[in-house]
Amino acid sequence: GRDLFGFMRLVPGVIDTGAQGRDVTSPNQLRGFTIQGNSTLTMNFTVDGVTDMDTGSNSTLHYEPNMDAIQELKVLTSNYQAEFGRNSGGTITVVTKNGTQEFHGTGNWSHRHEEFNANSWANNHNLKTIDGIPNQPTQRADYRFNIETYSIGGPMYIPKVANKDKKRLFFFWSQEFTGQFVPGSTQTTYMPTALERTGDFSQTFSNSNGNPLA
C-alpha cells in the first residue's frame, strides 16, 4: 500500500499492531505502534521540524504527507538530542522534498481491488453452492481504492531578470487524491402502519416483550 509508517517496522524496537488500518490517510495513523515498549501517548511526530501531533490527545496527527513528497523518514528510539525532547517515548521525523535546479515531476495511479487479492484459506475451505454450481469459494471481501498522486518541483526564476542561475529559489508541490469504496452494512427498519400514520398507536406492540406501546 501507500503507508508511510510501514517503514517503521524495519526499525529494531518498534512493534506495529495497527498496519491493517492504514489503507488510507487518517489522524489515527500512529495508533498501534510501540517504540521500545512506549505507547503512542509518549511519542512525537514532526514534519520539517514542526510537531504534527494533536497535543491535546497526544495520539492523533494533524497532517500526513503523501509518499511522493517525502525525502526522509527517521525514527529516534532513545538517547536523542535535546531538540527532540518534547516526548520521551520515541520521535518520528519526516523531511519533505524540495525543488532543485532542474524541473522534475511524477504522476501515478494506484488501483486496488479484491479481484487482485487471493482468497482466504477459510473462504476456500468453507465451500458453498452458488446458482446450483457446487464447490465455489466464499466471495472475497470488498477492497477497493483508487489513489491518484502527482508532484512537480524545480527552480523559480525569470529568465535574465531574477534567479537567473537557478541557485537561490526553488519550489515543490505534491497532491494526492484518494477514492475508497466502503461497503455499507445491512439495516432493518420498520415503516409506520396506516394507523400509526394517523396517530393511532393502539395496535403497536413492543418488539422485546409484545406489550402495547400505547
Side-chain angles (χ1 to χ4, degrees):
R2 293 179 60 81
D3 176 17
L4 155 66
F5 298 101
F7 293 108
M8 291 176 53
R9 294 195 293 275
L10 302 174
V11 179
V14 176
I15 297 177
D16 178 18
T17 61
Q20 299 301 319
R22 298 196 200 98
D23 286 314
V24 295
T25 57
S26 163
N28 302 313
Q29 297 293 71
L30 283 182
R31 291 184 177 175
F33 276 111
T34 59
I35 298 179
Q36 304 287 47
N38 297 293
S39 70
T40 307
L41 295 175
T42 60
M43 297 179 195
N44 194 19
F45 174 64
T46 67
V47 177
D48 293 331
V50 179
T51 294
D52 192 24
M53 298 286 292
D54 181 346
T55 53
S57 68
N58 260 359
S59 62
T60 56
L61 308 180
H62 289 301
Y63 161 71
E64 179 186 347
N66 70 64
M67 296 283 284
D68 288 10
I70 296 172
Q71 178 71 32
E72 178 185 83
L73 171 69
K74 183 185 296 183
V75 182
L76 306 174
T77 58
S78 62
N79 297 327
Y80 36 86
Q81 300 93 328
E83 63 182 291
F84 302 110
R86 176 182 174 272
N87 293 66
S88 60
T91 294
I92 304 105
T93 68
V94 166
V95 178
T96 58
K97 293 180 179 178
N98 56 274
T100 62
Q101 288 182 279
E102 297 180 353
F103 290 101
H104 295 278
T106 62
N108 66 76
W109 169 50
S110 175
H111 176 63
R112 303 167 73 179
H113 195 285
E114 70 269 9
E115 65 186 3
F116 304 125
N117 295 347
N119 211 342
S120 68
W121 179 91
N123 282 355
N124 287 328
H125 178 71
N126 300 321
L127 300 178
K128 68 177 185 178
T129 299
I130 301 176
D131 296 330
I133 302 175
N135 298 328
Q136 294 294 317
T138 305
Q139 183 178 359
R140 287 165 291 188
D142 292 331
Y143 185 79
R144 304 176 190 179
F145 300 88
N146 283 292
I147 303 174
E148 299 89 20
T149 310
Y150 71 90
S151 68
I152 185 171
M156 297 184 66
Y157 73 102
I158 301 175
K160 300 181 180 180
V161 176
N163 195 23
K164 293 178 288 185
D165 54 3
K166 305 178 186 177
K167 293 182 178 180
R168 294 175 178 81
L169 187 61
F170 310 93
F171 76 96
F172 183 84
W173 173 273
S174 180
Q175 197 168 17
E176 182 172 280
F177 303 91
T178 302
Q180 177 185 7
F181 172 74
V182 181
S185 59
T186 303
Q187 297 184 5
T188 302
T189 59
Y190 294 91
M191 299 300 293
T193 64
L195 287 176
E196 290 171 348
R197 289 196 293 270
T198 63
D200 185 351
F201 290 86
S202 61
Q203 301 301 314
T204 303
F205 300 91
S206 169
N207 289 330
S208 59
N209 54 30
N211 294 329
L213 297 181

